[in-house]
């Protein structure tokens, strides 16, 4: 699995898919999912293909994850923080029509 | 009500930060918006929070960003991070910031939104652990993360060589270096060499990277074509051809790169005219030497205006900042020209290597055209074969194909498929992409919730 070669010795606790993990502080959510050994970040809503981040700069929208209950967040643009709950998205997340109104 | 400032700058990379520094020095009020959580753009990503070990590893070309960031923070410009610009209309910039709606307005908008890696649509590029070579460097800068080895590297361009050198320095095994360039690239770039000698250190560093790549322990292949990736036994298999021979390699990670192209979403949204760079095969906004586009009050600088690199971006930023100060009557034309003369001299020097780089690393058009089985639109999972069938039915523009197949209607809004679709149409219709219209860009250019749009309207009324 990808290694954290230069990251901070400090760690934060987050959950990924409900499992508590400890990851270096300051890294992105996408990096955290990779660092703990997951082989993909989401599956596609159309055919269930496994995908992981392609661009790491907010362009490809492949690293969409649910963060603290909010779906479709670009994991490469968000840094991990203590207690954060990350869920990998399988198929299309259900979005309430009342959300954001 | 939208918040007014003399200038709104979009992007806090070297170009945006330098423009803010120059403009505030002339007494202008400046708001700087950036999508990331900190300044630096992609070239200096995470510069203020990266470890000293990483800064030492990446060297002075990276740490130079620290001094720009420091100067920027000491200037009175207002910085708003996590700010995604989703529309610009009549001088109003609409922003989504941590789920909240914000608006800013100005008579002078500077777009410094940078460049993106050209998406390399090859068969199997949607598989996990296949990513851009630049993306791998961003993982390193932002998270200090190194990749699963062995790594297969494919494509062309200076960033690709840089990635190889980084892998070597980190002792990450490389399974193979597959270069799409042919020796013809090097021959045709020779006439650009004398001009590039204005920048000897840069040339020397480039040659050094190239020689290190050639001297890699891993096999190096030139003139590679027909790359196809598959997933077998928990490994990525790369099959490709060179000359008449077929080869295959296996690895854990594949890095793809065919150069960097300007992100023209915002300049297209604001209706600026664009020109086609036939060597590097990208659209770029038409600008004056001060960065002003064909739309009054809209400026663009840095790699989003044309890919010249970080040093040039910072200098262009200074020029745009000065020109805005002149336009807003804070300084006279004479004062502007006096302050700008040294910057123009430096800019001439740092752009002297551009013809050499563009020619030497020119992508080979036939290698940018995906094969039929390749997924081109990653969001809607549409293959090049389906796109070709639609072209044969008479849909000859990206928007026409979109209306039939939904290409470009997914979450990335066409960012990943547009280049490949242009190349497919160009090949099928025997046209230069120059004569093919691009996707029509309309707001919101990033996904925002309806609630945010509703709140924006309420706040601007």
């Amino acid at each position: 699995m990808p290694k954290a070669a230069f990251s901070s010795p400090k760690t934060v606790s987050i959950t990924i898919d409900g499992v508590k993990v400890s990851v270096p502080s300051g890294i992105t959510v996408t990096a955290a999912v990779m660092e703990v050994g997951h082989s993909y970040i989401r599956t596609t809503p159309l055919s269930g293909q496994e995908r992981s981040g392609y661009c790491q700069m907010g362009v490809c929208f492949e690293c969409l994850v649910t963060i603290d209950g909010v779906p479709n967040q670009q994991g490469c643009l968000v840094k991990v923080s203590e207690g954060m709950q990350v869920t990998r998205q399988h198929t299309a997340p259900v979005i309430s029509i009342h959300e954001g109104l | 009500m939208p918040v007014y400032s003399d200038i709104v700058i979009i992007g806090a990379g070297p170009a945006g930060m330098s423009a803010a520094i120059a403009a505030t020095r002339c007494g202008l009020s400046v708001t700087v918006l950036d999508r990331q959580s900190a300044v630096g753009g992609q070239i200096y990503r995470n510069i203020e929070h990266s470890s000293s070990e990483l800064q030492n590893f990446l060297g002075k070309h990276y740490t130079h960003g620290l001094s720009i960031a420091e100067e920027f923070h000491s200037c009175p410009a207002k910085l708003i991070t996590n700010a995604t610009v989703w529309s610009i209309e009549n001088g109003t910039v609409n922003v989504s910031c941590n789920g909240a709606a914000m608006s800013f307005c100005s008579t002078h908008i500077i777009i410094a939104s940078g460049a993106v890696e050209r998406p390399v649509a090859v068969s199997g590029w949607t598989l996990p652990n296949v990513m851009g070579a630049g993306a791998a460097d961003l993982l390193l800068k932002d998270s200090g993360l190194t990749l699963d080895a062995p790594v297969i590297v494919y494509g062309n361009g200076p960033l690709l060589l840089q990635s190889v050198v980084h892998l070597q320095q980190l002792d990450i095994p490389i399974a193979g270096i597959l270069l799409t360039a042919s020796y013809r690239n090097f021959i045709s770039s020779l006439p650009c060499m004398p001009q590039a000698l204005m920048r000897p250190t840069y040339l020397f560093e480039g040659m050094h990277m190239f020689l290190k790549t050639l001297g890699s322990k891993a096999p190096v292949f030139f003139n590679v074509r027909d790359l196809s990736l598959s997933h077998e036994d928990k490994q990525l298999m790369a099959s490709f051809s060179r000359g008449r021979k077929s080869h295959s390699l296996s690895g854990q990670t594949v890095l793809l790169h065919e150069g960097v192209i300007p992100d023209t979403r915002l300049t297209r949204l604001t209706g600026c005219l664009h020109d086609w760079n036939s060597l590097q095969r990208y659209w770029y906004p038409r600008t004056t030497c001060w960065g002003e586009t064909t739309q009054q009050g809209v400026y663009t600088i840095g790699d989003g205006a044309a890919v010249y690199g970080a040093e040039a971006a910072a200098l262009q930023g200074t020029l745009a900042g000065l020109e805005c100060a002149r336009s807003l009557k804070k300084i006279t034309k004479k004062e502007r020209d006096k302050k700008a003369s040294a910057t123009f001299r430096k800019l001439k020097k740092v752009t002297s290597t551009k013809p050499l780089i563009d020619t030497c690393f020119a992508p080979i058009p036939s290698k940018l055209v995906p094969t039929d089985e390749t997924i081109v639109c990653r969001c809607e999972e549409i293959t090049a074969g389906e796109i070709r069938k639609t072209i044969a039915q008479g849909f000859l523009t990206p928007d026409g194909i979109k209306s039939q197949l939904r290409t470009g209607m997914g979450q990335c809004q066409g960012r990943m498929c547009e280049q490949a679709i242009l190349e497919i149409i160009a090949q099928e219709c025997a046209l230069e992409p120059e004569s093919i219209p691009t996707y029509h860009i309309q707001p919101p250019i990033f996904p925002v919730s309806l609630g945010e749009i509703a709140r924006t309207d309420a706040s601007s009324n």
Side-chain angles (χ1 to χ4, degrees):
Chain A
M1 69 181 78
K3 283 195 299 278
F6 289 105
S7 37
S8 150
K10 284 188 216 145
T11 58
V12 294
S13 290
I14 62 168
T15 63
I16 299 178
D17 295 347
V19 179
K20 201 169 172 188
V21 289
S22 172
V23 294
S25 78
I27 72 173
T28 66
V29 171
T30 300
V33 175
M34 293 169 79
E35 208 252 345
V36 301
H38 287 297
S39 60
Y40 65 92
I41 291 182
R42 67 176 184 119
T43 56
T44 62
L46 281 173
S47 67
Q49 285 178 19
E50 294 176 354
R51 296 278 173 91
S52 65
Y54 180 87
C55 75
Q56 305 298 340
M57 58 187 285
V59 175
C60 73
F61 287 76
E62 290 290 9
C63 62
L64 296 179
V65 283
T66 299
I67 301 174
D68 295 333
V70 184
N72 294 331
Q73 304 294 299
Q74 289 177 282
C76 67
L77 297 179
V78 182
K79 301 259 176 168
V80 291
S81 61
E82 187 65 38
M84 184 182 261
Q85 294 180 1
V86 178
T87 314
R88 293 191 293 165
Q89 292 183 184
H90 293 93
T91 165
V94 178
I95 300 171
S96 154
I97 56 162
H98 298 295
E99 186 186 325
L101 291 175
Chain B
M1 283 289 286
V3 182
Y4 175 84
S5 49
D6 292 330
I7 313 180
V8 173
I9 299 175
I10 303 163
M17 285 194 287
S18 303
I21 294 165
T24 50
R25 265 192 202 145
C26 298
L28 295 176
S29 62
V30 175
T31 303
V32 182
L33 309 168
D34 197 282
R35 260 197 111 195
Q36 292 186 59
S37 55
V39 300
Q42 301 307 331
I43 186 78
Y44 305 131
R45 180 131 161 205
N46 202 31
I47 185 72
E48 297 174 300
H49 305 287
S50 50
S51 65
S52 52
E53 291 89 351
L54 181 61
Q55 292 185 359
N56 286 337
F57 175 78
L58 291 169
K60 64 180 193 304
H61 291 303
Y62 180 64
T63 51
H64 180 61
L66 274 176
S67 54
I68 303 181
E70 208 168 289
E71 205 180 345
F72 171 73
H73 287 307
S74 66
C75 90
K78 188 176 180 203
L79 170 70
I80 298 171
T81 53
N82 297 314
T84 299
V85 173
W86 58 266
S87 88
I88 302 178
E89 237 166 326
N90 303 325
T92 300
V93 180
N94 288 315
V95 170
S96 163
C97 184
N98 296 324
M102 295 168 103
S103 308
F104 301 89
C105 67
S106 178
T107 50
H108 292 66
I109 295 171
I110 300 181
I111 298 168
S113 52
V116 296
E117 264 190 296
R118 183 196 312 272
V120 183
V122 293
S123 178
W125 72 310
T126 51
L127 292 167
N129 281 343
V130 179
M131 67 179 91
D137 265 1
L138 293 178
L139 266 179
L140 185 69
K141 286 178 194 169
D142 219 359
S143 304
L145 207 66
T146 60
L147 305 165
D148 238 354
V151 180
I152 298 168
V153 184
Y154 166 89
N156 189 13
L159 265 183
L160 190 84
L161 303 185
Q162 174 139 71
S163 276
V164 170
V165 173
H166 283 165
L167 291 171
Q168 289 173 340
Q169 288 170 341
L170 289 164
D171 277 328
I172 297 172
I174 304 174
I177 300 168
L178 321 178
L179 301 174
T180 48
S182 83
Y183 65 92
R184 286 196 198 97
N185 286 60
F186 303 105
I187 294 171
S188 50
S189 67
L190 284 177
C192 310
M193 193 61 102
Q195 189 193 345
L197 289 172
M198 276 177 77
R199 220 180 163 196
T201 329
Y202 181 86
L203 257 190
F204 178 77
E205 283 169 0
M207 296 293 263
H208 184 67
M209 281 200 311
F210 185 61
L211 291 174
K212 283 199 93 164
T213 303
L214 285 184
S216 168
K217 278 181 244 162
V220 182
F221 300 85
F222 274 91
N223 213 356
V224 166
R225 57 185 161 79
D226 304 332
L227 176 71
S228 166
L229 305 169
S230 58
H231 202 222
E232 282 168 39
D233 295 334
K234 296 189 173 174
Q235 290 211 313
L236 283 164
M237 293 289 296
S239 314
F240 58 95
S241 310
R242 201 198 152 267
R244 286 183 190 165
K245 278 192 181 163
S246 296
H247 303 262
S248 72
L249 289 169
S250 65
Q252 289 297 334
T253 305
V254 177
L255 301 184
L256 306 173
H257 186 77
E258 282 286 357
V260 170
I261 59 175
D263 177 2
T264 56
R265 297 263 145 180
L266 289 171
T267 45
R268 281 152 71 187
L269 180 72
T270 46
C272 305
L273 283 182
H274 290 70
D275 294 306
W276 175 251
N277 178 330
S278 57
L279 266 180
Q280 282 293 319
R281 299 181 84 76
Y282 60 62
W283 287 100
Y284 63 99
R286 187 178 299 174
T287 62
T288 65
C289 62
W290 304 97
E292 186 161 16
T293 65
T294 53
Q295 285 288 348
Q296 200 191 352
V298 179
Y299 297 75
T300 184
I301 47 174
D303 279 0
V307 181
Y308 284 95
E311 273 182 84
L315 297 168
Q316 290 169 350
T318 305
L319 295 175
L322 290 172
E323 167 58 11
C324 288
R326 184 213 56 84
S327 167
L328 287 158
K329 303 201 165 43
K330 289 281 181 185
I331 55 172
T332 63
K333 191 164 176 283
K334 212 171 161 188
E335 284 169 321
R336 176 201 70 180
D337 292 347
K338 193 172 167 226
K339 284 175 197 279
S341 65
T343 309
F344 273 120
R345 270 199 306 280
K346 282 187 208 157
L347 190 61
K348 191 176 175 198
K349 192 177 165 200
V350 299
T351 52
S352 64
T353 38
K354 164 104 169 153
L356 179 79
I357 301 289
D358 276 7
T359 319
C360 188
F361 297 106
I364 296 172
S366 63
K367 295 181 185 180
L368 299 179
V369 192
T371 51
D372 276 350
E373 76 278 10
T374 305
I375 290 176
V376 173
C377 171
R378 298 171 65 109
C379 303
E380 299 288 337
E381 301 179 26
I382 315 278
T383 63
E386 291 169 83
I387 292 169
R388 288 200 173 88
K389 271 186 206 151
T390 308
I391 294 170
Q393 288 163 5
F395 297 93
L396 307 178
T397 64
D399 279 326
I401 295 166
K402 178 180 179 178
S403 72
Q404 296 301 302
L405 293 176
R406 292 186 56 83
T407 44
M409 289 180 78
Q411 57 273 21
C412 89
Q413 296 178 284
R415 288 173 171 85
M416 299 303 284
C417 63
E418 182 170 33
Q419 294 295 318
I421 289 178
L422 282 175
E423 296 291 350
I424 296 172
I425 299 173
Q427 187 200 46
E428 293 297 305
C429 304
L431 291 168
E432 264 294 294
E434 197 175 3
S435 51
I436 304 165
T438 49
Y439 277 136
H440 176 65
I441 305 294
Q442 51 201 0
I445 64 158
F446 280 105
V448 278
S449 71
L450 283 172
E452 270 181 71
I453 296 176
R455 281 192 292 273
T456 307
D457 284 349
S459 65
S460 50
N461 284 338

